Amino acid sequence: MIRLALNKLGYSALLLMGLATLAFFVVRLAPGDPAVLYGDEGADPDAVAAMREQLGLDRPIGIQYLRWLGLTEPYEGILQGQWGVSISKHEPVFDAVARAVPNTLLLAVSALLVDYLLGIWLGVVMARTAGRRLDKALTAVGMFIYSMPAFWLSLMAILVFSLWLGWLPATQMNSRDVDQWGLIDQILDRIRHLILPVCVLGIPAAAATARYVRYSVKDTFEKPHIRAARAKGLPESRVMCRHVLPNACLPLITLFGLTFPFLLGGSVIVETIFAWPGMGRLTVEAIYGRDYPVIMATTMIGGAMVVMGNLLADVLYGLADPRVRLRARR
Amino acid sequence: MVIALPADADVLNPILWGGSSTGTVLQFLFADLTTQRFDSTQGLVVDEPGLARSWEWSEDGRQLTIHLRSDARWSDGVPFTSEDIRFAYSLYGQPKSGTARTTSLVHLPRMATGALDVDQAISIPDDSTAVFHFLRSYERHQQLNHAGLYSVPRHVLGETDPDSLRSSPYNVNPVSAGHYVLKKWIRKQEIELARRGDWSIPRPAHVDRIVFRILPDMSTRLIELKTGGVDVVEGLSPDEADEIERSDLDIRIERQSHRRFDFAGWNHIDAEVYRRSGGRTIRPHPIFGDRRVRRALTMAINRRELLVGWLGAYGQLCEGPVSPALRWAYNDTLTPMPFAPDSARRILADAGWEDHDGDGILDRKGQRLEFTLVTNVGNPRREFAVQKIQSDLQKIGIQCRTRLLETNQFNAGLRKREFEAFVAGLSTNLQADLQNQLGSDLERSVLNYSGYRNPVVDSLLNAASSKTELIEAGSALKKIQAILMEDQPLTYLFWFDNIVAINNRVKGTHVSILSVYERFYDWHVAAQP
């Protein structure tokens, strides 16, 4: 198992390096010049040239790449752990990323919890009532929610719960002056701000998860060992928890591997609409602003998360399914 | 008072700032040398004492002496002196500092390295006097503007190497010299400013606390406005403004008019040849190089319908690059180009463009009258304009394809003059300085996207820029507008308003062509009932 994981890790490092190289050249060759973007409208060509020189953009692209890696002077590149300075914000990229990551993690983990807890519960309910009215109704509602675009769902949620009912705050992570409140009030305030974006991210995802679980649980119900367990007289809750769900949830591990990158990648649309200062907003603002060091950092993080997600899914599969462990040993 | 911003500030250091959101915040933190006021009767920007209590020019107009007030202090209590001005300019003029504000330095002496020769450029006889030594005499308000870049405190940044300015802690925690001081900045969420009780230049501010909330999405900015979460939102669409006007919300709409315009640009030069030669070879464009064609295109586009269809009451027809608000420069005697598709077709026929092969598209010597009209994606106003222009031109036998490009890609193409035809926009210059938009030196006139070149216009531009008083340049500028009306280098479409929604609890606002926040220190917030 460990050898399998190490093999994958080595392969992943190469993959990441390839991704970084590709991203670097694609981003640099895309039209748009940060020196023009951050200058005055119609800035003097000499001023633009001076700015390009200051940012190191006047050098050949190959040299820029080596510099980004840290293989040329001043030897302060990604290989030395230096992510550079943001062109637009004039701050170390590490600081910008370090500020965004916890916010995105909070949002994404909360949404993932809603996704899996609600999705598994609904999936089981639908499997147990398969073909009946409740199953059909849940399927229809689930499909409706899942097919709604995130921006529409976000705006509707804000419209109903913030503007019309006034129950929940529309945007941002906390209320103004929250730093003058007590700890409990601060936590409650954060939870109130989390509810809408978490629901917008988590509920449509739960609708999809419920579909996976429904088919998987229904399929497992019909397996002989489940019939045997029931014939032995095991209570239904025990049959479900000990025999059905562990088998039925195997496909969810694959799903988790695919979902994992979004934990840090952030949701651009939801973070923008709810003014949530996470990785999604950081990435999209960097792309629009041609902030090359930030784009590279977020690309590397995104790539690393994809690789880690796959790795984690493989490991979890091994842990959950003895057949995989046996194959690895052979 | 809470103001919604679409993006966070980048840095709160006047040397390094770039984005428009940052500019909005900085004006509350840093006072100007002169307090500017827009005199709408004359259409002139009037300079009144600010940090500078008075100023005067030398006989030859090359030296500007500024006398500072002696009671101005930085937010940490240290007196504001002429040393701070010279120090700030030494940073502005140092390419290593990474500033974008170098346009103001072009008329000041430089060293061989390209850096500003600050000893030659600015002398400081005493703490309250700064003398700017310009290379030549030019329009005085412009000179004052060029001498009026925000200062930074020498006692704070004096030891900072220009190379490391980008990572200075000052960028996020500035010592400022203005009505407000930074109290709190939560990145990508909010910026809070507190009023300085000891600042009264030119008058004390009324609002104790100003909070800028960073809300990237317009829909959520509007919802926050409606729920009372913010008081001021800029950049509404006409539909959004109409909805607020019709509602019973306690919100009013104000407009900044005649400041920005959209136009259809026709490339006068052969873009392909220009690109291949790296800008060295300039040949007339086979279609748009002919003035008759450009005039016909303007006459074929129903600009009034375009204006009413998208902007409604929130825009005005545009006839040229000079704002009608600048009464001293605007030529109101010209007859606007009419919407006359039949005349347009006749003009095109005179120029040889007729439907010889009967396919419904005009042609000349085997070349069809067809081109691609490009604009940037994500700007519904321009997307609407492109579709309308396409439809209007189709009616007189011109095949116009449309193409939408990502904004950065579009802007890069504009600067390189890559597009045959495009719909873009510009901001009018309150000094009506048109050199950058119309000058024949295509390398330096970066806003002359269509490659328009006219020696008569060049000489008039030079005549206008040599005047030391703006009003004296009016005659030359009016002649230029008359030439543009004949030449139609672009089809000027419409001025579009910057629509601002303000909660009625905020009083005393004065949205003008100069700024949405002109005289912000007079704004006040009514007590809650």
Side-chain angles (χ1 to χ4, degrees), chain B residues 336-347:
Chain B
M337 292 290 283
F339 169 57
D342 292 335
S343 305
R345 198 188 268 272
R346 274 198 298 278
I347 293 171

Side-chain angles (χ1 to χ4, degrees), chain B residues 376-401:
Chain B
N376 57 316
V377 75
N379 183 328
R381 186 183 63 248
R382 289 191 193 148
E383 288 173 24
F384 177 77
V386 161
Q387 286 165 15
K388 180 78 178 70
I389 291 169
Q390 181 187 38
S391 153
D392 284 350
L393 296 184
Q394 182 79 41
K395 288 174 190 160
I396 64 160
I398 297 175
Q399 183 161 25
C400 167
R401 294 174 296 272

Side-chain angles (χ1 to χ4, degrees), chain A residues 34-206:
Chain A
V36 174
L37 278 177
Y38 299 115
D40 295 325
E41 186 183 38
D44 181 61
D46 292 341
V48 173
M51 178 80 96
R52 297 190 92 247
E53 190 185 337
Q54 161 71 10
L55 298 173
L57 302 174
D58 57 332
R59 305 184 181 194
I61 193 164
I63 300 292
Q64 288 183 46
Y65 177 62
L66 292 177
R67 202 172 176 194
W68 177 74
L69 284 176
L71 294 176
T72 180
E73 280 195 39
Y75 300 106
E76 288 171 1
I78 198 79
L79 295 176
Q80 287 86 16
Q82 302 282 326
W83 290 12
V85 176
S86 159
I87 295 175
S88 61
K89 306 293 179 199
H90 305 280
E91 67 171 338
V93 173
F94 183 84
D95 291 358
V97 170
R99 210 170 35 241
V101 162
N103 301 337
T104 290
L105 268 181
L106 176 65
L107 185 62
V109 170
S110 309
L112 206 64
L113 279 175
V114 170
D115 169 6
Y116 274 54
L117 293 178
L118 187 65
I120 291 172
W121 178 70
L122 280 174
V124 170
V125 170
M126 287 158 77
R128 294 180 75 162
T129 58
R132 286 189 254 160
R133 272 188 199 166
L134 182 62
D135 174 38
K136 287 177 182 168
L138 286 174
T139 302
V141 172
M143 284 302 287
F144 175 75
I145 291 175
Y146 185 67
S147 53
M148 288 300 106
F151 76 89
W152 185 85
L153 210 55
S154 304
L155 289 175
M156 287 302 111
I158 291 174
L159 208 63
V160 173
F161 295 103
S162 299
L163 188 62
W164 294 346
L165 298 173
W167 290 351
L168 292 167
T171 55
Q172 297 194 319
M173 286 178 63
N174 38 251
S175 303
R176 273 180 17 231
D177 300 329
V178 74
D179 47 356
Q180 291 162 26
W181 300 0
L183 182 65
I184 302 292
D185 288 335
Q186 286 190 24
I187 293 170
L188 290 175
D189 180 66
R190 177 62 56 86
I191 291 171
R192 288 184 72 234
H193 281 81
L194 262 173
I195 292 174
L196 285 184
V198 163
C199 287
V200 166
L201 279 175
I203 293 177

Side-chain angles (χ1 to χ4, degrees), chain A residues 37, chain B residues 376 406-416 419 449:
Chain A
L37 278 177
Chain B
N376 57 316
E406 188 263 341
T407 302
N408 280 314
Q409 193 181 357
F410 177 67
N411 290 335
L414 279 182
R415 286 180 77 91
K416 291 179 187 164
F419 309 129
Y449 301 133

